[in-house]
Amino acid sequence: MDNLMQPFSLRVSEILDHAARYHPKRKIISRKVEGPIEETNWSSIHQKAKKLSKSLQRLGIKKGDRIGVMAWNTARHLELWYGIPGCGAVNHTLNPRLFAKQLTYIINHAEDKILMIDLDLLGILEKIMPTCETVEHVIVLTDNINMPKSDLPNLICYEELLETEDSDFDWISGHETEACGICYTSGTTGNPKGVVYTHRSNVLHALASASPDMINLSSRDRIMPVVPLFHANGWSIGYTAPLVGASMVMPGREMNPEGLYEMLEKGVTVTAAVPTIWLLLLNYLKANNLNLSTLKRVIIGGSSCPRAVIESFQNDFNVQVLHAWGMTEMSPLGTICSFKPEVLELTDEEKISVQETTGHPPFTVELKLTDDHGNQLKNDGKTQGKLWARGGAVVQQYLKTDKKAVDDEGWFDTGDVATIDKNGYMSITDRSKDIIKSGGEWISSIELENAAVGHPDVVEAAAIGVSHPKWDERPILVVVCKVGKKVEPEKITDFMSAFVAKWQIPDDIIFAKEIPHTATGKISKMALRQILEKENYQHPDLRP
Ligand code: ADP
């Protein structure tokens, strides 16, 4: 009686086959790196992905070989998303904003055999190529006319390579737990660590992520991932969209508000990016008196979404915010803040407070909180603890390590501190290394930052803990004001006192022109601490 159903294989090629079979003409509108905006569809992407698989085989690629990809969000990148795993190879996403040393490290560590790279990023590769030990070919993602001049020998032109093949190719089959993609964590301390997604984890993750309480994606949607495909598995949108037959808009490399707005107005209904992108877009929309004519939902994650952003999207532009939490190690979706029936009963103001939390997990993800000794804590919305996760698309072991990344029961320590309320809504207090420990109490740097950016003249704020003889640590705040605006420090602390307890108010406000960011666009607390150290910064109480 057991095992009488068909052994459908959870491989990502099935996703693209489905889109090409049942949603072949769904539009993919894409800003090419070469400039113009083009239109294609799932059928054409399917054919080109097959041609790519065939071409890669001809170049000697075998099952399990790694291929590094450094590319913006374009239709062509979607061809790679399927053409690489389709021939059994592993798609290793490369973030062009990483330091050269880190790029070399991850290319060598993953042993990439081929690098596929966008036209405008070739300069990065020219610099590091002599240190890349395993790379046999470099493919430039363009056509013959746009092939650049380069010092690198034997560059292959992508479109030319594909022209020599037809699309008559059977995807390479294999077990669903075979490797499909690799994304390295950004490694703020130590070397980056390789997270290897399997075909199975990617399919399960896409199914979970599309579901109604998550991003609620369907064939009636047109989704634009602003989050780059190289950031945390591209938030899986490259899998979720074809899985439901959604249309897509790919914004290319123009990440400025003007360029994004132009693409959003091409019928986009759902979009996704980190909060900084949306802060800039909202300012642009308001300054130019523009509206969003088709957008319905915006997924905001990667770092905490300030209340002011939620309110502005919903009240000024009638766009629903889906605040999400995830990490590279979780493929990346951990939670999304959609409304359960319990929340629908609340007032509008209370609902916005719920949206400041990162929401609840989909099927396949399980979360728990513990104290430092591993004792499980209550989900009462108040008790803060270490956040642990396990599930169908959560890392078990990093690439080329001999130790598991989980405990004996399969729980992964996320490195975040959080609370979970009785309805299962999780709220990130902080990364455990960023939390400010003041007199035995914890202060959330995220809470301070979100309170400060609510001030109309503040663009960005970063809170960090500095040593204090009496309190162990005390918070200080680095603030970037809007261009041309000058604000008194007291005005900012006064404003913040409406949102945080008095004893949590930062002891010092430092104004800066900019705040350093990581390669994924988040505030780099490490770089900020280094800058303050270099300038011999001292807490006001310690100054002579
Ligand atoms: P990177 O730091 O390289 O961008 P990740 O995207 O994997 O890598 O970062 C995951 C971390 O980002 C989480 O562990 C958490 O600290 C933080 N994070 C993600 N989403 C949120 C959110 N909505 N609110 C607060 N923190 C978040």
Side-chain angles (χ1 to χ4, degrees):
M1 167 166 104
D2 294 338
N3 204 15
L4 296 184
M5 297 305 275
Q6 297 182 12
F8 182 85
S9 166
L10 299 182
R11 284 182 77 88
V12 299
S13 324
E14 297 285 351
I15 295 179
L16 190 62
D17 282 347
H18 171 79
R21 204 177 286 134
Y22 298 112
H23 306 273
K25 298 285 175 244
R26 203 79 64 226
K27 273 189 193 165
I28 316 290
I29 302 166
S30 171
R31 194 197 292 282
K32 292 173 85 166
V33 171
E34 295 89 341
I37 294 172
E38 65 170 351
E39 267 189 36
T40 177
N41 55 42
W42 288 122
S43 168
S44 164
I45 290 194
H46 185 252
Q47 285 194 1
K48 287 188 76 182
K50 289 218 161 189
K51 285 184 179 192
L52 174 61
S53 285
K54 218 167 168 179
S55 310
L56 291 172
Q57 271 196 339
R58 184 157 50 84
L59 288 174
I61 288 298
K62 306 225 159 41
K63 200 181 236 188
D65 283 345
R66 272 77 73 194
I67 298 182
V69 176
M70 198 191 291
W72 305 111
N73 288 7
T74 62
R76 210 175 257 142
H77 199 161
L78 292 172
E79 295 160 17
L80 274 53
W81 212 247
Y82 290 91
I84 294 172
C87 69
V90 184
N91 176 9
H92 172 201
T93 49
L94 299 170
N95 182 344
R97 297 188 192 107
L98 287 177
F99 294 122
K101 236 171 95 185
Q102 284 178 318
L103 271 175
T104 309
Y105 173 83
I106 64 175
I107 289 169
N108 289 337
H109 189 262
E111 298 176 55
D112 292 339
K113 272 202 170 165
I114 293 183
L115 295 181
M116 303 183 73
I117 181 156
D118 262 338
L119 201 55
D120 61 314
L121 302 172
L122 204 57
I124 299 177
L125 196 58
E126 283 167 349
K127 289 198 194 94
I128 62 167
M129 200 54 188
T131 55
C132 296
E133 292 157 5
T134 53
V135 176
E136 293 168 9
H137 303 284
V138 175
I139 301 174
V140 186
L141 298 169
T142 191
D143 51 22
N144 195 312
I145 305 162
N146 289 293
M147 266 308 269
K149 286 206 173 63
S150 166
D151 297 339
L152 294 175
N154 307 325
L155 288 181
I156 299 172
C157 168
Y158 177 77
E159 295 294 343
E160 241 178 28
L161 179 76
L162 262 58
E163 264 166 35
T164 54
E165 298 292 353
D166 57 33
S167 56
D168 181 16
F169 179 80
D170 290 332
W171 302 123
I172 294 296
S173 59
H175 199 270
E176 58 193 34
T177 55
E178 283 172 358
C180 173
I182 304 178
C183 187
Y184 279 78
T185 62
S186 53
T188 40
T189 49
N191 279 325
K193 288 181 276 189
V195 178
V196 186
Y197 308 114
T198 64
H199 282 263
R200 175 189 155 85
S201 70
N202 274 334
V203 174
L204 283 178
H205 182 278
L207 282 166
S209 149
S211 61
D213 262 338
M214 296 293 121
I215 65 174
N216 187 17
L217 201 68
S218 80
S219 60
R220 295 168 298 286
D221 278 309
R222 178 167 291 170
I223 184 165
M224 175 161 97
V226 177
V227 55
L229 289 173
F230 53 74
H231 180 200
N233 206 17
W235 295 10
S236 166
I237 294 167
Y239 301 118
T240 316
L243 182 129
V244 300
S247 164
M248 290 187 87
V249 169
M250 302 298 274
R253 68 188 166 112
E254 300 291 337
M255 293 301 190
N256 53 5
E258 212 175 335
L260 290 181
Y261 180 68
E262 185 190 353
M263 297 309 271
L264 280 171
E265 283 302 294
K266 298 207 174 293
V268 172
T269 58
V270 187
T271 183
V274 294
T276 22
I277 293 274
W278 301 127
L279 276 166
L280 295 174
L281 182 88
L282 289 169
N283 280 338
Y284 171 81
L285 295 178
K286 285 177 187 162
N288 294 285
N289 212 6
L290 298 167
N291 65 357
L292 293 162
S293 58
T294 56
L295 194 64
K296 291 188 189 131
R297 299 189 295 292
V298 54
I299 304 155
I300 309 184
S303 46
S304 173
C305 180
R307 187 179 180 105
V309 171
I310 302 175
E311 284 173 335
S312 183
F313 264 120
Q314 296 185 168
N315 302 342
D316 305 336
F317 297 98
N318 202 19
V319 171
Q320 189 202 354
V321 168
L322 292 171
H323 190 188
W325 165 82
M327 47 195 316
T328 305
E329 284 91 337
M330 298 184 67
S331 300
L333 178 62
T335 55
I336 281 194
C337 194
S338 60
F339 293 159
K340 295 187 188 181
E342 297 85 327
V343 175
L344 285 178
E345 293 163 6
L346 303 175
T347 64
D348 287 350
E349 276 296 295
E350 286 167 337
K351 278 189 193 134
I352 297 209
S353 301
V354 171
Q355 288 183 291
E356 286 184 277
T357 78
T358 51
H360 51 98
F363 170 64
T364 68
V365 174
E366 198 185 348
L367 300 176
K368 72 166 182 184
L369 299 175
T370 72
D371 63 16
D372 283 341
H373 310 290
N375 305 309
Q376 191 156 351
L377 299 172
K378 282 186 292 198
N379 290 354
D380 59 7
K382 287 193 213 93
T383 312
Q384 302 179 26
K386 280 169 73 140
L387 179 67
W388 300 74
R390 66 180 175 191
V394 181
V395 71
Q396 172 152 260
Q397 192 161 345
Y398 293 103
L399 179 62
K400 291 186 180 169
T401 55
D402 43 23
K403 240 179 59 211
K404 290 215 161 151
V406 293
D407 69 10
D408 292 343
E409 291 172 343
W411 289 101
F412 170 72
D413 179 356
T414 64
D416 284 333
V417 176
T419 60
I420 302 178
D421 74 11
K422 62 179 191 317
N423 294 325
Y425 283 70
M426 189 271 285
S427 197
I428 297 285
T429 309
D430 227 324
R431 285 197 167 187
S432 48
K433 57 183 187 307
D434 292 336
I435 208 155
I436 302 159
K437 292 182 174 152
S438 176
E441 299 283 349
W442 288 359
I443 302 176
S444 157
S445 66
I446 292 180
E447 227 173 275
L448 299 181
E449 290 156 9
N450 283 346
V453 292
H455 188 288
D457 295 331
V458 172
V459 179
E460 199 169 27
I464 52 176
V466 293
S467 301
H468 189 278
K470 182 169 174 200
W471 302 110
D472 192 14
E473 275 186 342
R474 284 295 300 156
I476 62 154
L477 191 73
V478 181
V479 171
V480 180
C481 288
K482 281 195 181 145
V483 184
K485 295 279 179 188
K486 239 181 140 196
V487 194
E488 293 300 313
E490 298 74 40
K491 287 263 172 342
I492 294 180
T493 44
D494 282 355
F495 179 84
M496 290 173 72
S497 57
F499 305 96
V500 295
K502 201 160 163 245
W503 64 273
Q504 300 186 333
I505 295 285
D507 290 353
D508 199 7
I509 305 273
I510 303 167
F511 292 98
K513 279 212 180 73
E514 56 180 6
I515 288 173
H517 290 96
T518 66
T520 49
K522 301 182 188 182
I523 292 171
S524 173
K525 302 261 166 106
M526 192 177 68
L528 197 57
R529 283 192 196 100
Q530 281 167 351
I531 294 170
L532 292 174
E533 218 167 276
K534 228 165 123 196
E535 292 176 357
N536 291 322
Y537 177 84
Q538 281 192 321
H539 186 277
D541 291 353
L542 289 168
R543 290 176 202 159

